[in-house]
Amino acid sequence: MSEVAKTTGRPRRRQSDGPLAKGLYLVATPIGNASDITLRALHVLEAADAVFAEDTRVTAKLLALHELARPLQSYREHNAAEAEHKILARLAEGQSVALVSDAGTPLISDPGQRLVRAAVAEGHVVFPVPGPSATLAALAASGLAGERFLFAGFLPARATERRRVIRELEAVTATLVLFEAPPRLGESLADLGAILGARQAAVARELTKLHEEIRRGTLADLAAHYEGREVKGEIVIVIEAPSGTPAEAPAGALDARLTAELARHPVKDAAAIVAAALGLPRREVYARALELRRAQEPDDDA
Ligand code: SAM
């Protein structure tokens, strides 16, 4: 439910990290709250020889909030070839070039893949400057298993194509993370529920913004809530893996988590913590926890 209202705090002045090594910097930027920018990102945006942005107005606003004024050049789908040429020429001269998208991590459902491939092919260094990502923010806050997940980008807009893609996703034994546009949210949730069945899910909307909302429930509950309702903002859908798939947690993850928790807690508590963290049935996790505890105990017959 809607619970968070955030303000953009005045940023602290960063320390200069000196000149940048030559190469291409992929700089993550906030997905809403302008304070969610790293000190390193600010330094790179200040110190790079050139900054290329998906939307120069959006990035200029962000930089202004952080008291930076830099000339910005455009790198977007429609001018990618031309901009790529300019960027590669700068890299060949030994310059540092920063690339940012409108929000979040460049290349994650955003332009830049061609450029990175070309830069790598020409032997340039590519530096990730990690930070906000709608995918990871939604996954973390969903409460669903983050040990193993598939990010599937945007679902297709057309119903037949969307249903085909959802049927493909049905077999995936991992948490699913999808982007969706507001007008299609209700019908996509209904299709997801009809095809994937009674799985738990979360709709994460307007993360880090004033009207942040994370609504959790089964796909059918969420479809019932959103169908026919006018929804605004940016949306990520997170869906639990099919039930009964221990693959929700990769082999070894269960035992590793249990062993760590058993060192600190009694069996019952350790099982409850791990079952919640991995999204596994509590009874099964408890049974495994008992086995592990017994194996740890000294053998009475010895
Ligand atoms: N590269 C970006 C990232 O790493 O977050 C994602 C870019 S993709 C073009 C934009 C989509 O990301 C939106 O349509 C929405 O599905 C999701 N998104 C971006 N910001 C969001 C936010 N604040 N809350 C929820 N979803 C968001």
Side-chain angles (χ1 to χ4, degrees):
M1 317 311 143
S2 180
E3 73 273 60
V4 180
K6 297 197 174 76
T7 55
T8 301
R10 190 161 175 72
R12 273 191 303 157
R13 210 52 211 169
R14 65 216 157 270
Q15 288 180 336
S16 173
D17 292 323
L20 292 181
K22 63 182 180 178
L24 176 63
Y25 292 75
L26 306 174
V27 182
T29 55
I31 57 169
N33 188 322
S35 296
D36 289 339
I37 188 154
T38 68
L39 297 176
R40 182 163 171 242
L42 288 173
H43 174 62
V44 169
L45 292 172
E46 186 170 36
D49 292 311
V51 179
F52 283 74
E54 190 184 1
D55 185 328
T56 53
R57 282 166 311 175
V58 169
T59 304
K61 255 191 228 162
L62 175 71
L63 294 186
L65 275 169
H66 293 285
E67 299 165 2
L68 289 179
R70 295 272 347 238
L72 297 171
Q73 303 191 54
S74 157
Y75 178 93
R76 51 197 317 164
E77 296 290 6
H78 82 262
N79 74 349
E82 189 194 327
E84 183 179 309
H85 192 68
K86 288 191 207 163
I87 293 171
L88 292 173
R90 283 178 175 272
L91 293 173
E93 284 170 18
Q95 293 192 11
S96 54
V97 177
L99 177 74
V100 295
S101 61
D102 282 359
T105 303
L107 276 86
I108 308 303
S109 280
D110 268 337
Q113 201 220 327
R114 263 185 57 145
L115 171 64
V116 171
R117 242 195 345 225
V120 171
E122 295 195 6
H124 302 299
V125 184
V126 177
F127 298 100
V129 183
S133 145
T135 305
L136 296 183
L139 176 63
S142 70
L144 300 172
E147 303 289 328
R148 179 177 152 96
F149 68 94
L150 177 84
F151 169 60
F154 285 97
L155 283 175
R158 290 191 44 226
T160 41
E161 186 57 10
R162 179 170 66 229
R163 288 174 195 147
R164 188 190 62 71
V165 169
I166 297 172
R167 277 193 288 275
E168 268 175 27
L169 294 174
E170 192 183 357
V172 174
T173 54
T175 303
L176 299 174
V177 185
L178 304 164
F179 288 165
E180 189 49 286
R184 293 196 291 271
L185 179 62
E187 54 188 78
S188 287
L189 285 168
D191 284 347
L192 286 161
I195 297 168
L196 302 182
R199 296 197 203 176
Q200 290 296 316
V203 171
R205 198 170 62 81
E206 293 288 88
L207 292 175
T208 79
K209 302 185 199 178
L210 187 59
H211 298 292
E212 178 176 277
E213 175 188 62
I214 302 172
R215 186 170 282 272
R216 302 174 182 87
T218 62
L219 286 166
D221 294 339
L222 293 168
H225 176 80
Y226 286 109
E227 265 190 306
R229 191 178 286 251
E230 196 195 334
V231 185
K232 290 192 178 136
E234 299 194 276
I235 296 159
V236 184
I237 305 173
V238 186
I239 305 166
E240 76 173 336
S243 62
T245 47
E248 283 167 2
L254 174 61
D255 284 4
R257 291 288 280 263
L258 272 176
T259 305
E261 297 302 336
L262 282 169
R264 294 192 284 263
H265 302 284
V267 176
K268 201 169 156 206
D269 295 349
I273 293 167
V274 175
L278 300 187
L280 293 173
R282 199 186 274 218
R283 228 184 28 235
E284 286 171 27
V285 177
Y286 180 68
R288 182 63 188 147
L290 276 178
E291 284 173 11
L292 290 175
R293 173 53 50 89
R294 284 198 195 111
Q296 288 167 352
E297 281 165 1
D299 194 342
D300 288 343
D301 300 332

